[in-house]
């Protein structure tokens, strides 16, 4: 986890995402790149279509004002946390401490994030308290489906440490196996790892004990627990067990069921995205 991408959205999640990224960067001596995507006004050509110049000026000024506001949040957060500034192409991650840099790119959120995430080990996205705002989810899903890299979704309560006690929410799927592989830097350095399988949430594949044995062969002495749902949902069982364990990170494969199906009928990924009180590392 030597390079971390933090897309900035101009809301109260920006500072939280940066703080969470810093917790990861301290653990792995990583470089953080804060990325602001500027949605410059699009000019649509057509016969007889005239776009008032005042409109373009107003939109440009509005985006410039927002960019300056977000940059101030970045500057203040980096200063408060004491993160050293260094450009990512200056071997910042090799300095042996957390570093950070700022970049602005014009384009559409999902497309730019999906492309840029491919160049980073991890992308951090903060989930806002306001359920009406959904840009964070667009960003997270762009990383999962277009970036091919893991995304760490954090609630509005950043943790000072991440990865000391890790719960792996295992369901036997390809997606979770992929996520476990991407989480190995955390699992290898964790103080405690617990593989949790909920009977009602499994798909055909290896069980929790099988994964625990695999992790042990890779130097991770993980425990395993198999639980029943009872009256709770699978996500509620996972969150409850994470609280009992004192976990600071959940590892979960995203969208074993289709994204559309989960949006309509619900699912474990959807529930954890919106309800987890802990940061969740997702991969698809």
């Amino acid at each position: 986890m030597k390079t971390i991408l933090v897309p900035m959205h101009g809301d109260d999640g920006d500072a939280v995402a940066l703080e969470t990224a810093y917790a990861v960067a301290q653990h792995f001596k990583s470089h953080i790149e804060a990325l602001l995507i500027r949605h410059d006004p699009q000019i649509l050509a057509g016969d007889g279509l005239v776009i008032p110049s005042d409109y373009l000026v107003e939109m440009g000024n509005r985006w410039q004002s927002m960019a300056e506001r977000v940059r101030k949040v970045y500057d203040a957060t980096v200063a408060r946390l004491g993160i050293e500034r260094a450009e990512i192409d200056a071997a910042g991650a090799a300095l042996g401490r957390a570093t950070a840099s700022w970049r602005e790119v014009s384009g559409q959120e999902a497309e730019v994030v999906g492309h840029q995430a491919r160049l980073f080990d991890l992308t951090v996205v903060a989930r806002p308290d306001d359920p009406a705002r959904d840009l964070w989810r667009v960003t997270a899903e762009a990383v999962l489906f277009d970036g091919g890299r893991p995304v760490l979704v954090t609630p509005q309560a950043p943790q000072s440490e991440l990865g000391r006690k890790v719960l792996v929410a295992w369901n036997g799927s390809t997606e979770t196996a992929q996520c476990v592989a991407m989480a190995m830097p955390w699992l290898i350095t964790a103080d405690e790892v617990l593989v949790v399988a909920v009977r009602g949430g499994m798909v055909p594949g290896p069980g929790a004990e099988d994964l625990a044995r695999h992790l042990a062969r890779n130097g991770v002495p993980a425990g395993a627990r198999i639980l029943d749902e009872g009256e709770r949902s699978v996500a509620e069982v996972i969150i409850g067990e994470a609280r009992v364990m004192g976990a600071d990170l959940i590892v979960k494969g995203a969208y074993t069921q289709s994204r559309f199906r989960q949006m309509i009928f619900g699912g474990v990924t959807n529930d954890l995205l919106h309800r987890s009180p802990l940061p969740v590392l997702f991969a698809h």
Side-chain angles (χ1 to χ4, degrees), residues 144-162:
L144 291 172
F145 289 97
D146 297 326
R149 306 296 293 160
V151 60
L152 182 67
V153 177
T154 179
Q156 291 289 309
Q159 306 219 161
S160 58
E161 279 193 325
L162 276 174

Side-chain angles (χ1 to χ4, degrees), residues 22 24 100 177 180 184 208 234 262 266 275 280 284:
Y22 180 55
V24 179
V180 170
M184 284 304 293
V234 174
Q262 291 218 21
R275 301 177 190 173
V280 183
H284 180 72

Side-chain angles (χ1 to χ4, degrees), residues 27-218:
H27 190 70
F28 294 107
K29 314 304 180 191
S30 313
H31 180 84
I32 303 165
E33 180 170 284
L35 177 67
L36 176 64
I37 301 168
R38 298 175 64 114
H39 302 265
D40 294 333
Q42 295 182 337
I43 300 176
L44 303 177
D47 293 339
L49 178 63
V50 178
I51 300 178
S53 59
D54 290 348
Y55 168 80
L56 295 177
V57 171
E58 179 186 353
M59 291 300 295
N61 290 338
R62 187 176 300 176
W63 274 106
Q64 182 61 33
S65 176
M66 191 275 281
E68 292 172 357
R69 185 174 68 253
V70 176
R71 179 61 189 263
K72 287 180 181 177
V73 171
Y74 165 79
D75 288 336
T77 305
V78 167
R80 174 168 55 83
L81 297 174
I83 309 175
E84 182 177 342
R85 298 170 192 252
E87 292 302 321
I88 195 167
D89 58 357
L95 294 177
R97 53 188 177 273
T99 56
S101 62
W102 168 271
R103 188 157 62 103
E104 295 183 24
V105 177
S106 295
Q108 298 302 307
E109 180 81 17
E111 181 179 2
V112 173
V113 170
H115 292 172
Q116 293 300 311
R118 299 169 190 170
L119 305 175
F120 291 82
D121 298 321
L122 179 70
T123 299
V124 177
V125 176
R127 182 187 71 221
D129 289 330
D130 183 359
R133 298 209 310 269
D134 63 355
L135 185 56
W136 68 276
R137 180 162 182 156
V138 171
T139 303
E141 292 184 344
V143 178
L144 291 172
F145 289 97
D146 297 326
R149 306 296 293 160
V151 60
L152 182 67
V153 177
T154 179
Q156 291 289 309
Q159 306 219 161
S160 58
E161 279 193 325
L162 276 174
R164 296 300 180 189
K165 291 189 175 184
V166 182
L167 183 146
V168 177
W170 180 248
N171 65 356
S173 70
T174 303
E175 291 79 10
T176 304
Q178 178 81 350
C179 192
V180 170
M182 292 183 178
M184 284 304 293
W186 262 306
L187 302 179
I188 290 172
T189 58
D191 295 332
E192 182 179 354
V193 176
L194 179 63
V195 178
V196 173
V198 183
R199 287 189 175 88
M202 294 294 291
V203 301
E209 297 95 338
D210 297 321
L211 178 62
R213 282 193 294 271
H214 163 73
L215 292 175
R217 288 193 292 266
N218 284 272

